[in-house]
Amino acid sequence: MERGPREPVRDDWQRILNPRSVALVGASGRAGHPMARPLDWLRDRGFAGRVLPVNPRYDELGGLPCYPRLADVPGPVDLVLALVPAERAIATVEEAGAVGAAAVVVFASGFAEVGGDGIAAQAELAEAARRAGVRVIGPNCQGLYVARSRLFATFTAAGERALQGSSGIAYVGQSGAIGGAVLDVAASRGLDLTAWVSTGNQVDVDVTEVARVLVTDPDVQVLAVYAEAIPRPAEYVRLAAEARAAGTALVVLRSGRSETGRRAALSHTGAMLPESTAFDLVSREHGVVLVDDVEELLAAATLLRTQTRPRGPRVAAVTSSGGAGILAVDRCVDVGLAVPELAEPTREKLARRVPAFGSVANPVDVTAQLFNDGGGAFGEVCALVRDDPAVDAVMVILTMLVGETARALAVDLAATVADSPADSPPVVVVWMAGEDATVGGRAVLREAGVPVFSSIAVATRVLAAVAAAAAPPAASAAAVSCPDDAWALLSSLGVAVPRSALVSSAAEAPEAAAAVGGTAALKAVAPGLEHKTEAGAVRLGVDEVRAEEAAAALLEHVPGAEAVLVQEMVPPGVELLVSVDGGRDGWPPVLTVGRGGTETELHQDLAHALAPVSAETARALLDSLRCRPLLAGHRGAPAADVDAAVDAIVRISEAADIAGLQELEVNPLVVGTSGAIAVDVLLERA
């Protein structure tokens, strides 16, 4: 039975996550051995289904009957744990298929991760799974844990913890070691995970498939994902959309995004487009929170579990230390968060509660005196700051407040958060003191759903990541076929282009130059010719008298030249690059806007968005560029027609809806004092 491309089969996943029976092939009787853990945990920790050890060396294991083969197990088997070496994995998968199991978890290493013969062995394992009609999690994985069914189908050392609760946070990731760390650290903070899955080498089941199952689970409020690769981008796009539709917060930590991970491309815009660009844009478009390390992954999940997302990037800090407040402002600026001024009415109310030697500006410094006074004044200050219309999130920074003072403060702050309206800005705490001296206060805040950080830097990065979510994408128009001629395509999109004529002989050039205005730009046309200036394939300011000679030189000296494009000279202006990369490998199309001309690669002044874009988005892309002052008129130069540039960008972005488009690049788009015109264009079709 062969299934489609990783479409989650819900009946199978019900049998995997909530199995009625689990068979452990190769179950071990060695006390203390990692592979003995699944049997002990399934038997002793509340799993309600049948636990079926399979090993011909034993008649009984852990007080349970032990069967020589899977075929000898009485009754149906839902899930098989392959606690066997790599060389026995394929046979186990085949046997699991024969007894009708839904899935096999292959723990063994020695497959593709070791290269050579391991790659071939993994391919054989995949083929065996297809033939047997059984799903495979792994190989080289650490299995899964599900709180609801008390399913301990794993040997991770993190499972030694009690794991009695269910926080509403689930995790899925490729790396077993990273996954174990997430499970362990979360439990140490009182956040027992609701579900936990390690997919390993992903011979069959991958991260996105598991994630698509978990984001629709009513027990899961937040899904944390660690991914080393996105082999099927279209499924990730579906995951992001489904998470948003289900109201499940999705937090993703992705590794392997360095320079070496860039898509191989020709030396035009594609070479400057990191492979992760489409991933980042899709994620932010659907409200996925992207983080950079495990600490941020857990911290963001903790924040989203109980509090609303910030409405924007504006953060107010409330602190017991002026120095800590300054550090907070610096770190906010570093990650793109704003530190707004508080409204005058807010400052007036704060002045009645904050000691005179404190500060009611942002950051608000309440000083240690406020804590000595008691009476809930600190909670009142935080509530006033939270309710200021300029504030999207509140960061409370505490220093050496410990012991009973710490606990009383936490109770005060927890009450403030509990009394907040549902749509109030989130409140996070940075506690710069030893965890052992603040354990009571931290526990109170954790119960109230207030994340506690030990680092200002981590707190600001998490707030920035959570605030970065964007609006849902607009629907695209129906696709039309891609034409052969780039200039005709631009004209059909409504983009202004110069008057031009294509000549195949030098003798035709003078008449063509006269037709486009008398003084022309001549450009050689040759297969694969992209950077015409570097190739000496352009002549500018050529009049009718010199047109034939210039055209003859281009046809003679430019390799492969087949014709000459005689083009109207365009008045100077600000040169932009506008490019649409047409959606490859399952990712949607990406629009790139940046500084254009011959120095595009040098400046690397680029901004990206999923295409097509609105006028608002096009303007925001322009505003984000370092070269934006050139459009405003730099050092006495006249201002460029920004509205025309925006219109051209929007029209070029609509090429995203053209079937068969690989890339459309306009470089430069010359933006003058009145209008914007495409001077050169590159078109690649599938």
Side-chain angles (χ1 to χ4, degrees):
M1 177 176 63
E2 185 169 341
R3 295 186 173 89
R6 302 305 188 274
E7 177 65 27
V9 180
R10 299 290 163 172
D11 289 344
D12 279 359
W13 278 103
Q14 173 64 19
R15 295 177 65 197
I16 294 169
L17 299 177
N18 190 28
R20 296 160 298 177
S21 56
V22 178
L24 299 89
V25 177
S28 173
R30 290 177 289 175
H33 192 276
M35 289 304 166
R37 291 169 181 163
L39 177 60
D40 293 343
W41 293 343
L42 286 168
R43 181 195 61 201
D44 299 337
R45 292 191 173 185
F47 176 64
R50 296 190 303 147
V51 181
L52 307 163
V54 177
N55 191 326
R57 297 171 54 195
Y58 303 94
D59 294 325
E60 173 269 334
L61 272 175
L64 298 171
C66 188
Y67 303 93
R69 301 177 305 152
L70 263 178
D72 299 319
V73 172
V77 175
D78 285 334
L79 182 63
V80 174
L81 308 187
L83 305 168
V84 297
E87 56 269 22
R88 282 279 301 133
I90 290 175
T92 302
V93 166
E94 292 171 340
E95 293 162 10
V99 300
V104 181
V105 181
V106 179
F107 296 108
S109 57
F111 289 90
E113 80 280 1
V114 301
D117 292 342
I119 296 175
Q122 185 159 311
E124 292 177 24
L125 181 65
E127 180 57 32
R130 282 190 289 271
R131 287 196 310 267
V134 64
R135 307 307 306 274
V136 171
I137 299 173
N140 188 34
C141 75
Q142 292 194 13
L144 59 154
Y145 160 73
V146 182
R148 179 176 56 226
S149 58
R150 304 301 294 159
L151 175 66
F152 286 84
T154 178
F155 65 91
T156 177
E160 297 283 9
R161 291 188 178 272
L163 300 179
Q164 294 294 328
S166 178
S167 63
I169 300 173
Y171 167 87
V172 57
Q174 289 173 253
S175 167
I178 295 292
V182 170
L183 182 61
D184 189 65
V185 174
S188 74
R189 297 176 182 175
L191 295 169
D192 291 351
L193 297 185
T194 296
W196 177 91
V197 184
S198 161
T199 59
N201 289 9
Q202 305 191 147
V203 70
D204 174 26
V205 171
D206 63 16
V207 163
T208 50
E209 178 178 355
V210 181
R212 289 184 58 205
V213 172
L214 292 178
V215 294
T216 58
D217 187 322
D219 289 346
V220 176
Q221 298 164 262
V222 184
L223 178 62
V225 174
Y226 170 74
E228 295 167 1
I230 308 291
R232 282 166 284 276
E235 288 202 16
Y236 179 78
V237 176
R238 294 175 70 181
L239 165 64
E242 288 168 357
R244 186 172 205 127
T248 304
L250 184 59
V251 186
V252 177
L253 168 59
R254 184 183 177 195
S255 61
R257 300 169 65 191
S258 63
E259 182 70 22
T260 57
R262 290 191 177 208
R263 172 174 62 84
L266 299 173
S267 58
H268 41 86
T269 311
M272 296 178 288
L273 191 65
E275 187 271 341
S276 62
T277 300
F279 166 79
D280 291 344
L281 293 171
V282 166
S283 299
R284 300 201 188 285
E285 196 83 5
H286 290 286
V288 179
V289 177
L290 301 180
V291 295
D292 292 324
D293 64 28
V294 171
E295 177 66 23
E296 293 177 22
L297 183 73
L298 269 176
T302 304
L303 170 61
L304 293 167
R305 182 178 73 103
T306 53
Q307 299 199 52
T308 58
R309 295 176 186 243
R311 294 184 293 262
R314 302 169 300 174
V315 174
V318 180
T319 177
S320 60
S321 162
I326 295 170
L327 287 174
V329 171
D330 289 345
R331 296 293 80 78
C332 283
V333 172
D334 288 345
V335 297
L337 293 170
V339 183
E341 290 187 14
L342 300 178
E344 182 61 32
T346 302
R347 296 199 300 272
E348 290 175 357
K349 294 174 184 176
L350 288 171
R352 302 187 193 114
R353 293 163 175 80
V354 174
F357 49 88
S359 172
V360 296
N362 187 12
V364 176
D365 180 8
V366 300
T367 78
Q369 180 63 42
L370 192 73
F371 305 110
N372 297 331
D373 294 344
F378 184 69
E380 293 178 24
V381 166
C382 292
L384 287 170
V385 173
R386 177 202 64 202
D387 294 340
D388 189 285
V391 173
D392 296 317
V394 178
M395 180 165 51
V396 177
I397 308 167
L398 307 174
T399 47
M400 282 303 295
L401 295 161
V402 298
E404 187 53 40
T405 300
R407 192 179 185 286
L409 178 152
V411 170
D412 187 13
L413 184 57
T416 298
V417 172
D419 292 340
S420 302
D423 59 348
S424 291
V427 177
V428 304
V429 172
V430 179
W431 212 325
M432 301 167 65
E435 292 196 21
D436 57 342
T438 56
V439 62
R442 290 172 186 262
V444 168
L445 292 174
R446 182 172 64 242
E447 287 297 317
V450 180
V452 181
F453 302 86
S454 296
S455 160
I456 293 174
V458 173
T460 53
R461 290 200 302 269
V462 169
L463 284 173
V466 174
S476 294
V480 296
S481 60
C482 186
D484 294 323
D485 182 69
W487 295 105
L489 172 56
L490 288 179
S491 295
S492 70
L493 292 169
V495 179
V497 299
R499 290 177 294 170
S500 61
L502 189 67
V503 299
S504 56
S505 69
E508 301 173 73
E511 182 178 351
V516 300
T519 303
L522 273 60
K523 304 174 182 179
V525 177
L529 180 59
E530 294 161 3
H531 296 294
K532 297 180 178 65
T533 303
E534 289 91 327
V538 179
R539 301 289 187 272
L540 299 177
V542 179
D543 58 22
E544 298 174 51
V545 175
R546 295 183 295 121
E548 183 171 353
E549 177 185 356
L554 291 173
L555 290 168
E556 180 180 354
H557 297 298
V558 176
E562 300 172 343
V564 173
L565 182 67
V566 181
Q567 200 172 64
E568 166 188 12
M569 286 292 293
V570 173
V574 177
E575 296 187 348
L576 298 178
L577 174 144
V578 185
S579 174
V580 177
D581 189 78
R584 309 183 189 200
D585 305 322
W587 293 115
V590 173
L591 172 74
T592 298
V593 177
R595 185 165 182 175
T598 59
E599 299 176 347
T600 295
E601 292 88 349
L602 177 64
H603 290 288
Q604 290 283 307
D605 185 12
L606 304 170
H608 311 283
L610 295 181
V613 300
S614 65
E616 181 182 13
T617 299
R619 195 174 299 274
L621 291 173
L622 286 177
D623 289 344
S624 71
L625 298 176
R626 296 191 304 275
C627 69
R628 178 62 176 83
L630 298 177
L631 292 167
H634 185 61
R635 296 197 174 215
D641 189 345
V642 174
D643 289 342
V646 167
D647 181 69
I649 291 168
V650 171
R651 292 176 184 275
I652 293 169
S653 80
E654 292 168 356
D657 293 325
I658 296 175
L661 178 83
Q662 282 197 331
E663 184 171 3
L664 175 67
E665 177 187 282
V666 173
N667 187 17
L669 176 75
V670 177
V671 186
T673 57
S674 177
I677 187 166
V679 172
D680 210 350
V681 61
L682 170 71
L683 173 65
E684 287 189 13
R685 304 166 69 245

